[in-house]
Amino acid sequence: MVIKELIVSKGVNHEIIRKINFNTKGLSLIVDESGTEIKKSGSNIGKTTAVKIIDICLGAKTKSVLYYEKDTGENFLIKNFIHDKKVVAELIIEENKKMYSLKRELYTNGKNYIDDEPLKYEDYIKKLNTIIFNNNSSKPSLAQLIRKFIRLDTGNEEALFKFLGSYTTNPEYQAIYTYLFGIADNKFVNVNLDQINEKIDKDIEAICRKNAVSSIEEFKAKVELLKEELVRFEEDYKDVSVIDDYKEKQEEMQNLLLKITEKENLYAIKELKKKLIEEKIIKEEKNKFTVDIRFLESIYEETKLIMKEPLKDFSDLQGFHNGMIEKRKHLLKQSLIELTTEISEIEEELTKLRQHYETKYISFNSLLREKFEEKYKKYSDNKLKLNNYLNDYQYIQDKIIEKQSNDQKKIKEDNDNTKKEIVENSLNEFFKVLTQEITGETYKLLLNLNKDEFPVQAVGLNGKPGTGIKKALIACFDMSHINLILKNQYHMPHFIIHDKLENIDLNELKGIIKEARSFEGQYIFPILSDRISILGIKENEVVLTLSADSKFFRV
């Protein structure tokens, strides 16, 4: 796959801002002609903007890299221009003699298109992975593969082979490199399963630590011992009666409750009697003013028989009647006073009995509860511990089964050393020549298929390369890889995009320029104009020239 053209436009009429045609072989340079003062001011000329836009069209998710940098923060002029003018980037690529249009709207919530078909970002990435790498699987991902061909992260410049940074594991790098080198394309299946199994092992290890055991066998033995101890405890407990120790207190409580019941019954009877007397008093009071003539006549006749002096008139009779009522009321009130006193005494006794019962009840239950707790505490604790052990032990057993299932899903890897040696020899056929021509020293690549070790290593006569030479070796390694792709006709990119090459040693940069001219792939990178004459750059090798008066977005 080669990059043919980059078109950046704005507005609904798609007014072209930049149209860049790339050389399909050799150098395609983006030259910054801004003066020294402009560089010092930090003005954004945009020499890296073109390669960042290519990266975005090839799947990079973050568009803010076009107007944001850690050192300088946001460039609001560029940000507002992109959003207000609705800037769109279109990258034309060629794969197997077929042209593809990759289009991304660079503003917030902008859409993605492949051959004018609108796609969600996830579908855009999936289709790109198929077009560029003929890879229909999610692993290795497009981001993991394309980063080998587009090196823009300055933090990884000196990582040489670790183009995804140090957080990517050796097994992952193994899977990526064996894919990129055409050795194997199925290692990621096993890498994913290995990562899942590693997590399972960590979970099992954590549970063993939690339960103070060093192995699954020790865990099993501990569970069995605890089960046996609980069985013994249950047998011993059959002969223990908690209630028997408290029979005397229980009888005392029952007698006390019986007394309370008797007093409550007596209290109820007295209260009823009191109520009846009160009703009689009220009734007598009402009779005081009621006169029955016939009744009075009979009384009058009776009084004549018993009184020495008979009643002379009706008022005497009425006075006699009311006097009789008052006598009865007096007797009733006397009875009421006596009854009220008795009720008060019963109520006082009842209160004392209830308080005594409550005190005894609380004390009894407290002692009973303590006895139960004393008897059951060890049993309950051990039973709870056993349940926790059993849950954790079952979890471990389930995870072991899951791990075994994962192992069965693994694909048999092709670790054919012969194939590895063929690829290694092909790479070194290019790498040794390039390192000699560019750095003045011959280096050799060593490939390692051991999944726990890093897959690629460069060694020279003086050992591993130093920090100062690593940037030049990146160029040698990436060109060697493209040559391998072309030689074996792998379905992969035929281009390299590097940034910050102007920081490399001048002699090494001269060597890179010289070798890139005969390079069958594309080598795209930005460069400062003050090196153009020194390096002898040809006019046709420059695909874009920028300056203070002609910045990338022309703003």
Side-chain angles (χ1 to χ4, degrees), residues 342-386:
E342 289 178 15
I343 289 172
S344 296
E345 290 173 355
I346 293 170
E347 194 171 21
E348 187 177 346
E349 289 177 18
L350 194 56
T351 300
K352 289 179 180 179
L353 284 171
R354 284 171 176 165
Q355 288 175 346
H356 186 51
Y357 177 81
E358 186 176 350
T359 303
K360 288 281 185 181
Y361 179 80
I362 292 171
S363 174
F364 175 75
N365 279 279
S366 177
L367 289 170
L368 191 63
R369 185 173 62 253
E370 288 175 6
K371 191 69 175 177
F372 268 112
E373 288 176 354
E374 179 186 340
K375 295 288 183 182
Y376 276 104
K377 188 175 188 309
K378 185 177 179 181
Y379 175 77
S380 299
D381 288 349
N382 284 344
K383 191 170 184 180
L384 179 62
K385 189 185 292 185
L386 177 62

Side-chain angles (χ1 to χ4, degrees), residues 217-229:
E217 291 73 19
E218 185 181 342
F219 203 145
K220 184 179 180 181
K222 205 167 184 178
V223 169
E224 294 302 324
L225 287 172
L226 195 54
K227 282 182 179 179
E228 291 171 6
E229 185 175 346

